[in-house]
Amino acid sequence: MFSALGRFVVRRPWWVILAWVVAAAAVISLAPKLTSSTDEASFLPDHYESIRASDLQERDFPQQENIGAIIVFQRSDGGRLTPADSAAVTRVSKDLEAKKIKEVQAVAPGEVSPNKRVQTSVVAMPKITNPEDTQQQDAVEQLRKDLKGELKGTGLDAGITGSAAQALDESDASERAGLLVGAGTIVIIIVLLLVIFRSPIIALLPVVLIGLISPMATGLIAWANEAFDMKADSSVQELLTVVLFGVGTDYILFLLFRYREALRAGEDAKGAMVHAVERVGEAITSAAGAVIVAFAALTLSSLGMLRSMGPALAIAVFLTLLAGLSLVPAVVSLLGTKVFWPSKSWQREPQGTGFARLGTSIARKPAVWTVVSALFMGALALGALGYKANFDLAGSSLPKDKESVVWQDNLEKGFPAGTTDPTFVYLTSTGDGPLPEGRPAAFRKRLESVDGVGSVAAPKVSKDGTTASYSVVLADPPASEKALGTIKDELRPAAHADAPQGTKALVGGITAVYVDINKAVDRDYSVVFPVAAIAIMVILGLLLRSLVAPWYLMLSVALGFGATLGATSLLFQQIGSQPGLMFMLPVIMYLFVVALGTDYNILMVSRLREEAREGRGPHEAAGVAVRHSGPTIGSAGVILAGTFATLMLAGNSTLSQMGFSLSFGIAVAAFVMAMLFTPALTALIGHAAWWPGHGDRAPGAGADERGRTREESRH
């Protein structure tokens, strides 16, 4: 099949290129814009308590004041606030409210903190119903401009924090991150390809070709999101960039290395390209299939952000696969050997390379290499025992100099850390009548006695008297581990247990959302991980016609995942002193390391099987496979790791964690799993690795040949 595809593309390259250009133009012009959301609550299913609490609030308290932002005031000289300062805060608040800024319902001055260091004004804004609506961010931007003028001559400093302010700062940071990631990815690919091939044409080839399919992928994903009512997480655009350029460059490299090898063997340019597509096509397709099914497994997630991310990345990889099997061969077949210009190194195979020496060593001592590589990954995996999840996708991922971060810290000098995002407890009647008189006040006292609660405001009762709302300020930052523990272990159990007879209590708010996300992620671990692993093992089994190889190949990937999570936990939590890793990072890491690590395993094992079919014994086949596939896997690993590492340029701890973990995971997958552990263990297992399909035997080999290896026939 792949031989026929190669011949078709080589014979009709212009038609193939034209088809891609027409398809790209159609998709780009007709597809809707890809939008994303940073609203964590919008990603949770309706049955979680925080979402049911939100629905109750919308039903019984539609006009409930929503704290969109908080203006934090303090003296410029760092001293205690005076009555005159408080009067200035009141005047500034009234003046800002009088400006009638769109989305600003009220600017209400609050109390001075007990230590007289800080005073706040609460900016009331309507509840966000459309996560794509940026009007509240625009309102914060205008408030910040107006606030500077209002403070002149007051002796006060002030800044704006809170959810809308964080969203504005996160949007600014993401815009910068997108530019840096895009530019960094392209620069790294060009530089590394120039070093590897010494050809400007090859260096620019992925940038031009993937630059064509990138907007196609974005358009197709936007269509899919619209058709299936999916929401994209705000980080999907940056991930999409590195996936397209990283994976796309990998597939181009797989093809070009095999093309160059065929040219060195004496084939003409067009025949060499047909040979390359025939030999690499199955490996690329199987590798892409592993990536696609791994990403598709995310559709089983209960979190909308992961459920939409999976199909988005799967679409990108599928489009990249199609381009790798058709567009890339078409362009290269037109260029012929000029694609390597001005370098002449493609004409001769280098002797005595490091990969040749490594292959020889693995062939001689496979047991040593198996143990060493397994111990290296296993030792790093121990670091995963210290893993902690962090749920603050906005605040904790922002650069520390952003206004919302600076003034959140200043706010905590005088008020409980949970002031910016209070938790809401709703006590509602389970019958038709109103709440019994006196019960709401008594319930408030019980809430105030819960450990971890800073304060509880007087209850507000709905118009029909059936529901009471309590604004609860936690003693710890809303997204902190302590705050989540307060909701999960203290406040929710107490509220449920102490709700008077005939009533029930629901706990909502952003911290409650984080608690429910944690529960959803734990559920996803038990579903997505095994489904992805089983699907990839099925693909490996079909490709290799073996029931044995998929097991140890997945073992190597599991070790690689453990090593990656361990190294990331050590770097960011122990050395970097961050509160934890982004809560969905292990899922993303697992899928990328498993799927892309399997890419390299497939390429290595496919070449190993090919060498075995030529009559080489298990040890010799492993050595030759490392010699020939090592440069391809090494180059692809360096480029893909480099593209993921560009995420660390964003100045955003969330993307920095993702960038490091994925680049480290890819490096381990390429240089430890695929290049050391897999060929060494395959050599150790020998012919049994291909049971029951005997995939290491040449097709049509006789019974006598099947009973011997080349190594055995020498004795």
Side-chain angles (χ1 to χ4, degrees):
M1 181 181 80
F2 292 104
S3 177
L5 175 62
R7 287 193 297 271
F8 175 84
V9 170
V10 167
R11 289 172 183 169
R12 299 171 180 83
W14 285 113
W15 286 107
V16 172
I17 294 170
L18 179 62
W20 273 96
V21 171
V22 170
V27 171
I28 294 168
S29 61
L30 298 175
K33 182 183 177 183
L34 178 63
T35 56
S36 61
S37 173
T38 58
D39 178 16
E40 289 90 344
S42 69
F43 295 115
L44 274 172
D46 294 339
H47 65 270
Y48 283 96
E49 183 173 342
S50 59
I51 305 304
R52 288 187 285 125
S54 178
D55 293 341
L56 183 66
Q57 179 260 312
E58 289 180 14
R59 186 193 76 189
D60 290 344
F61 299 93
Q63 303 304 318
Q64 178 173 296
E65 183 182 85
N66 178 57
I67 301 177
I70 292 179
I71 307 175
V72 183
F73 297 86
Q74 63 183 22
R75 285 187 60 86
S76 302
D77 60 10
R80 295 177 183 273
L81 292 166
T82 66
D85 294 328
S86 292
V89 169
T90 301
R91 179 190 61 77
V92 169
S93 301
K94 287 182 177 178
D95 288 349
L96 290 174
E97 184 175 339
K99 292 181 183 295
K100 302 295 183 184
I101 298 172
K102 190 173 183 180
E103 291 292 299
V104 175
Q105 296 172 323
V107 183
E111 298 294 324
V112 180
S113 65
N115 62 6
K116 306 294 184 183
R117 296 290 184 189
V118 178
Q119 186 171 356
T120 63
S121 280
V122 174
V123 181
M125 294 179 171
K127 184 178 175 63
I128 295 176
T129 56
N130 177 13
E132 306 305 326
D133 189 352
T134 61
Q135 290 185 86
Q136 293 193 6
Q137 296 175 34
D138 298 337
V140 171
E141 192 168 18
Q142 187 60 49
L143 280 169
R144 283 175 172 171
K145 291 177 183 176
D146 294 340
L147 181 61
K148 289 180 181 178
E150 295 289 340
L151 290 173
K152 288 179 180 177
T154 63
L156 298 173
D157 285 336
I160 303 178
T161 187
S163 58
Q166 283 187 345
L168 172 62
D169 290 342
E170 204 258 345
S171 176
D172 291 341
S174 293
E175 204 169 306
R176 172 176 169 272
L179 291 173
L180 282 172
V181 168
T185 298
I186 291 171
V187 168
I188 282 179
I189 288 174
I190 290 174
V191 170
L192 290 176
L193 285 177
L194 274 173
V195 171
I196 293 166
F197 286 99
R198 301 181 182 87
S199 165
I201 297 175
I202 290 179
L204 292 173
L205 190 63
V207 176
V208 174
L209 296 184
I210 298 167
L212 173 69
I213 66 173
S214 179
M216 286 184 69
T218 302
L220 292 173
I221 292 164
W223 260 329
N225 285 355
E226 196 174 78
F228 297 101
D229 191 29
M230 296 187 296
K231 297 181 178 71
D233 174 57
S234 59
S235 63
V236 75
Q237 194 65 61
E238 285 79 18
L239 264 181
L240 196 58
T241 299
V242 294
V243 166
L244 281 166
F245 279 95
V247 174
T249 304
D250 266 12
Y251 294 164
I252 291 173
L253 278 177
F254 293 169
L255 200 68
L256 284 176
F257 270 101
R258 201 56 187 257
Y259 176 59
R260 187 175 66 178
E261 188 179 326
L263 289 172
R264 286 171 175 170
E267 296 205 39
D268 65 276
K270 292 191 179 296
M273 180 49 66
V274 174
H275 174 87
V277 173
E278 178 186 4
R279 291 302 178 98
V280 178
E282 185 180 28
I284 289 179
T285 303
S286 300
V291 178
I292 289 168
V293 298
F295 288 155
L298 284 175
T299 57
L300 300 174
S301 170
S302 55
L303 285 176
M305 67 181 78
L306 294 177
R307 202 163 53 244
S308 61
M309 183 186 292
L313 298 179
I315 289 170
V317 172
F318 180 70
L319 199 62
T320 306
L321 170 65
L322 293 181
L325 293 176
S326 57
L327 181 60
V328 176
V331 172
V332 175
S333 67
L334 284 175
L335 294 171
T337 56
K338 295 185 182 69
V339 75
F340 299 106
W341 180 89
S343 174
K344 301 291 185 182
S345 61
W346 64 270
Q347 297 174 346
R348 59 192 180 279
E349 184 173 350
Q351 300 297 318
T353 65
F355 292 107
R357 291 193 295 272
L358 177 62
T360 301
S361 179
I362 289 174
R364 289 175 178 170
K365 301 175 181 178
V368 172
W369 284 106
T370 301
V371 172
V372 168
S373 55
L375 286 177
F376 172 79
M377 292 187 286
L380 281 177
L382 294 175
L385 298 175
Y387 163 76
K388 292 180 181 178
N390 178 31
F391 294 85
D392 187 3
L393 293 187
S396 70
S397 65
L398 285 172
K400 300 304 179 186
D401 60 348
K402 286 293 184 181
E403 183 172 330
S404 60
V405 177
V406 171
W407 286 93
Q408 170 67 32
D409 292 341
N410 288 335
L411 173 69
E412 293 175 18
K413 293 176 183 177
F415 289 104
T419 303
T420 54
D421 281 302
T423 292
F424 290 96
V425 179
Y426 300 96
L427 185 68
T428 184
S429 174
T430 55
D432 296 330
L435 293 169
E437 191 152 346
R439 293 290 175 82
F443 189 64
R444 177 192 178 191
K445 291 182 179 179
R446 176 65 188 103
L447 296 178
E448 287 178 324
S449 68
V450 173
D451 289 342
V453 169
S455 64
V456 181
K460 296 179 180 179
V461 181
S462 60
K463 289 182 179 179
D464 61 4
T466 60
T467 305
S469 170
Y470 304 82
S471 179
V472 179
V473 174
L474 301 179
D476 301 293
S480 67
E481 189 177 3
K482 287 184 177 179
L484 268 67
T486 297
I487 295 291
K488 180 183 176 183
D489 302 324
E490 304 290 343
L491 186 59
R492 268 186 177 167
H496 295 165
D498 294 332
Q501 188 173 0
T503 67
K504 67 177 180 180
L506 293 174
V507 179
I510 193 63
T511 308
V513 168
Y514 292 145
V515 170
D516 290 340
I517 286 177
N518 193 13
K519 189 186 299 183
V521 169
D522 287 343
R523 176 261 177 200
D524 288 350
Y525 287 160
S526 64
V527 175
V528 175
F529 280 23
V531 168
I534 291 170
I536 291 174
M537 287 182 69
V538 169
I539 288 176
L540 289 171
L542 292 173
L543 169 67
L544 303 174
R545 282 81 169 173
S546 167
L547 294 178
V548 176
W551 287 98
Y552 69 81
L553 291 178
M554 288 306 296
L555 170 64
S556 74
V557 170
L559 283 170
F561 167 73
T564 304
L565 182 58
T568 307
S569 298
L570 288 170
L571 179 64
F572 288 94
Q573 292 180 194
Q574 307 302 322
I575 300 173
S577 300
Q578 291 192 9
L581 303 182
M582 178 182 61
F583 71 90
M584 60 181 179
L585 187 61
V587 177
I588 296 173
M589 190 189 303
Y590 175 80
L591 293 171
F592 273 92
V593 173
V594 168
L596 298 175
T598 302
D599 265 18
Y600 300 142
N601 269 343
I602 286 175
L603 193 68
M604 178 60 75
V605 173
S606 295
R607 185 58 186 253
L608 201 152
R609 181 183 60 180
E610 186 179 323
E611 297 302 330
R613 285 177 170 177
E614 295 293 327
R616 294 181 173 89
H619 288 214
E620 186 184 357
V624 175
V626 170
R627 175 184 176 184
H628 287 294
S629 292
T632 309
I633 293 172
S635 301
V638 167
I639 288 175
L640 190 56
T643 57
F644 279 123
T646 59
L647 290 171
M648 299 175 71
L649 298 173
N652 172 317
S653 67
T654 296
L655 289 176
S656 293
Q657 290 176 9
M658 195 180 297
F660 171 80
S661 63
L662 297 181
S663 59
F664 185 85
I666 294 303
V668 169
F671 293 98
V672 182
M673 284 164 41
M675 214 173 293
L676 302 178
F677 186 83
T678 294
L681 188 55
T682 303
L684 273 181
I685 296 173
H687 181 57
W690 309 100
W691 183 87
H694 305 302
D696 58 334
R697 300 306 181 199
D704 289 340
E705 276 189 52
R706 287 196 298 269
R708 297 177 304 171
T709 68
R710 177 184 291 187
E711 288 176 342
E712 292 169 337
S713 66
R714 289 175 179 168
H715 297 285

